[in-house]
Amino acid sequence: MGKYKVPDLYRAPFPLYTVRVHRDTGLVITAGGGGASKTGIKNGVHFLRVELVEGQFSASLAHSFDTDPRATMNLALGDNVIAAGQDTSCQLLRFRECSDKPEAKPPGKGGGDGRGAHRRKIQAGSDSTPGTHDDSPQITVETLGEVQTDFSPDGLQKCVQFSVDHSLLVTGGADGHVRVWEFPAMKKKLDFKAHDGEIEDLDIIQDSKQIVTVGRDFKCCVWQNDQLATALRWNENMPNIPEKMYRYQACRFAKVEDQPDALRLYTVQIPHKRDRKPPPCYLTKWDGSNFLPLLTRPCGNEVISCLAVSDSGTFLGLGMVTGSVAIYISFSLQKLYYVQEAHGIVVTGLAFLPDTKQGLKILGDNEAAMLSVAVDSRCKMHVLPSRRTFPVWLVLLLCALMVIFVILLLQHAFPGLI
C-alpha cells in the first residue's frame, strides 16, 4: 500500500464523473464531459469491454454515445436503461447489444476499402488499429426521454438511484428535494424537501420502502415515503466531536455476508471546514433495521469524495479529493488497500465488479476489483488478490512438527535434559 502507480485501464477524451458496471454483460459504462462551455471538450457516455488477459486487465471502447451539449455528472443502471443526470434533468437512455453485422462491401464499390463494415477494436488510451476486427456484439443507444429533476437557480441533479426491482427511480437535487418516479412511466410519485441546500447522496432500501438521504445541512435522514422516519446521529457516543464540525458526504446500503436477511448502512463523515491540519474523516456502520450505529472508525485525513460497496457487502471503496483510493473490509472497517494519489485530481466515481457470471469472469482468481474514475479523464482498476488460507489440519501438523523439532534440538544441545 502507498504511493505507487496504478496503470490506466482507459483514458477518455473528457473528464469522467461517474462509472457503473452492467450486471448481465459486464460492460463498464462511464460518462462525463466538459459541459456546455465552448472549450472543445466533448460530452459523452462510453461503453467499455474489460478483459483479464494473462493476469492483466485491459479495456476496449465498444461504443461512444454523444450527449452534447451536456455532461453526465451521475448515472444509475436499471437493466438496460441508463438514468443520466445532466444539469437540471435526468435523461433516460436504453442500450442494446446487437449481434447483426453489416456485410463488408468489396474494395472499389461505394468508395469503401472493405474495412468500413467492421468496427475496429480501440485499445484504451490509443488510436484504433487498422485491420483489427471486433467480433463482439455492437451496441446501440436510443433516447427514451427526460424529466426535470431540479428547480434551483443554479440547477443540478446531484444523485440518482433505481430501486432493486427497478420499479422506482429516485433523484436528489441541489434544491434539496427528493423526487420519486414510477419507472418506466416516469410519473412523479413523490416530491418533498429533504434538506436545506444540496443533497449530496441518497440510497433506497431493498424493499423500496425507505430512502436515506445525505445533505450539506449536516443531516442524514431516513424517509418512509415522504415522512421523516428518523435522523441519524453518528457522533452521539463521541462527545469530543461538536455537532457541526462534520457533515455527511455519502451513504450506501449493503448486504451482510453471513446474514442473508440483514442489512447494513454505511455513511461517510467529512470535516465541514478545511484546516491547515485537517482532522480525520470517519466511516460509520449502522444496523439497517433500527438505524443504530454499530461501529465508527477514522479513515485518514484525506477528504473523502465518494463511496461504493461490493455486491456481497464485504468491501467498501473510498475515493478522495486528493485522488487517492482505498478499500476497506466492512466487518471491522479496517483498511485492506490504499493507493495515494492514484489519480491526479478528485476521484468522482467508484464501482466494484458485480458478483455475476460476467463479473466473476472478468475478476478471475482475484477476490475483488474496483473501478475508479476522476476528473483527470482516467479509469483505473484496483485489485484485491485472493488471500491465501491454510486448512486447520495443516496448521496443527506444522505446530506438532515444530514442537518435535524443538525437543530434538534441546536434547542435542543438552544431553540428558529430557
Side-chain angles (χ1 to χ4, degrees), residues 255-321:
K255 298 177 181 178
V256 182
E257 194 171 20
D258 55 346
Q259 302 177 40
D261 298 327
L263 205 61
R264 295 287 181 264
L265 174 69
Y266 297 91
T267 61
V268 168
Q269 294 81 231
I270 65 172
H272 175 56
K273 295 181 179 180
R274 305 287 179 89
D275 296 328
R276 181 172 295 182
K277 292 184 178 179
C281 297
Y282 286 91
L283 262 173
T284 300
K285 177 169 66 172
W286 307 77
D287 189 307
S289 58
N290 54 29
F291 295 102
L292 293 176
L294 300 175
L295 182 63
T296 296
R297 286 191 181 277
C299 50
N301 298 90
E302 296 171 282
V303 177
I304 298 167
S305 56
C306 51
L307 167 70
V309 297
S310 63
D311 270 6
S312 63
T314 306
F315 303 107
L316 309 175
L318 297 180
M320 286 73 163
V321 171

Side-chain angles (χ1 to χ4, degrees), residues 123-134:
Q123 296 297 331
S126 66
D127 296 327
S128 58
T129 305
T132 303
H133 303 315
D134 183 8

Side-chain angles (χ1 to χ4, degrees), residues 99-333:
S99 57
D100 296 334
K101 298 283 196 304
E103 294 183 1
K105 295 180 181 179
K109 292 187 179 181
D113 61 358
R115 295 181 303 206
H118 295 272
R119 291 187 303 113
R120 298 169 184 171
K121 190 173 185 181
I122 304 174
Q123 296 297 331
S126 66
D127 296 327
S128 58
T129 305
T132 303
H133 303 315
D134 183 8
D135 294 327
S136 57
Q138 293 190 23
I139 296 172
T140 61
V141 181
E142 62 174 322
T143 301
L144 301 180
E146 66 178 73
V147 291
Q148 186 169 353
T149 57
D150 187 81
F151 293 86
S152 58
D154 299 321
L156 181 66
Q157 177 181 295
K158 296 282 291 185
C159 44
V160 58
Q161 292 287 350
F162 275 101
S163 62
V164 174
D165 61 1
H166 304 147
S167 64
L168 299 175
L169 182 69
V170 186
T171 63
D175 59 4
H177 278 248
V178 170
R179 294 174 174 91
V180 181
W181 310 83
E182 295 177 357
F183 183 81
M186 293 308 291
K187 179 182 177 181
K188 191 187 295 184
K189 182 179 180 180
L190 295 172
D191 185 342
F192 60 94
K193 189 170 181 60
H195 294 274
D196 295 324
E198 297 181 4
I199 295 177
E200 287 292 338
D201 200 9
L202 60 80
D203 203 4
I204 184 168
I205 206 166
Q206 291 185 359
D207 60 7
S208 304
K209 293 181 180 179
Q210 291 176 315
I211 299 170
V212 173
T213 60
V214 165
R216 293 185 70 91
D217 56 359
F218 304 95
K219 296 178 181 178
C220 181
C221 302
V222 182
W223 302 91
Q224 188 84 26
N225 292 322
D226 57 354
Q227 300 299 311
L228 179 64
T230 184
L232 304 188
R233 293 177 174 84
W234 73 278
N235 59 339
E236 271 189 334
N237 299 322
M238 305 178 73
N240 295 327
I241 298 180
E243 189 66 28
K244 292 191 175 182
M245 182 178 176
Y246 284 82
R247 64 176 177 87
Y248 293 91
Q249 173 67 15
C251 62
R252 282 293 178 271
F253 283 109
K255 298 177 181 178
V256 182
E257 194 171 20
D258 55 346
Q259 302 177 40
D261 298 327
L263 205 61
R264 295 287 181 264
L265 174 69
Y266 297 91
T267 61
V268 168
Q269 294 81 231
I270 65 172
H272 175 56
K273 295 181 179 180
R274 305 287 179 89
D275 296 328
R276 181 172 295 182
K277 292 184 178 179
C281 297
Y282 286 91
L283 262 173
T284 300
K285 177 169 66 172
W286 307 77
D287 189 307
S289 58
N290 54 29
F291 295 102
L292 293 176
L294 300 175
L295 182 63
T296 296
R297 286 191 181 277
C299 50
N301 298 90
E302 296 171 282
V303 177
I304 298 167
S305 56
C306 51
L307 167 70
V309 297
S310 63
D311 270 6
S312 63
T314 306
F315 303 107
L316 309 175
L318 297 180
M320 286 73 163
V321 171
T322 54
S324 301
V325 174
I327 299 177
Y328 285 70
I329 190 163
S330 60
F331 174 75
S332 60
L333 302 184

Side-chain angles (χ1 to χ4, degrees), residues 336-391:
L336 297 178
Y337 172 97
Y338 172 74
V339 179
Q340 185 179 359
E341 297 176 10
H343 293 271
I345 199 170
V346 56
V347 178
T348 50
L350 301 169
F352 282 94
L353 291 181
D355 294 340
T356 59
K357 181 179 179 181
Q358 286 299 322
L360 295 174
K361 180 180 177 182
I362 300 171
L363 185 64
D365 295 330
N366 298 299
E367 187 167 7
M370 184 181 73
L371 294 144
S372 66
V373 296
V375 184
D376 63 1
S377 307
R378 290 172 167 84
C379 177
K380 295 177 182 282
M381 183 77 82
H382 307 271
V383 181
L384 284 179
S386 294
R387 290 170 287 183
R388 296 182 179 180
T389 57
F390 296 95

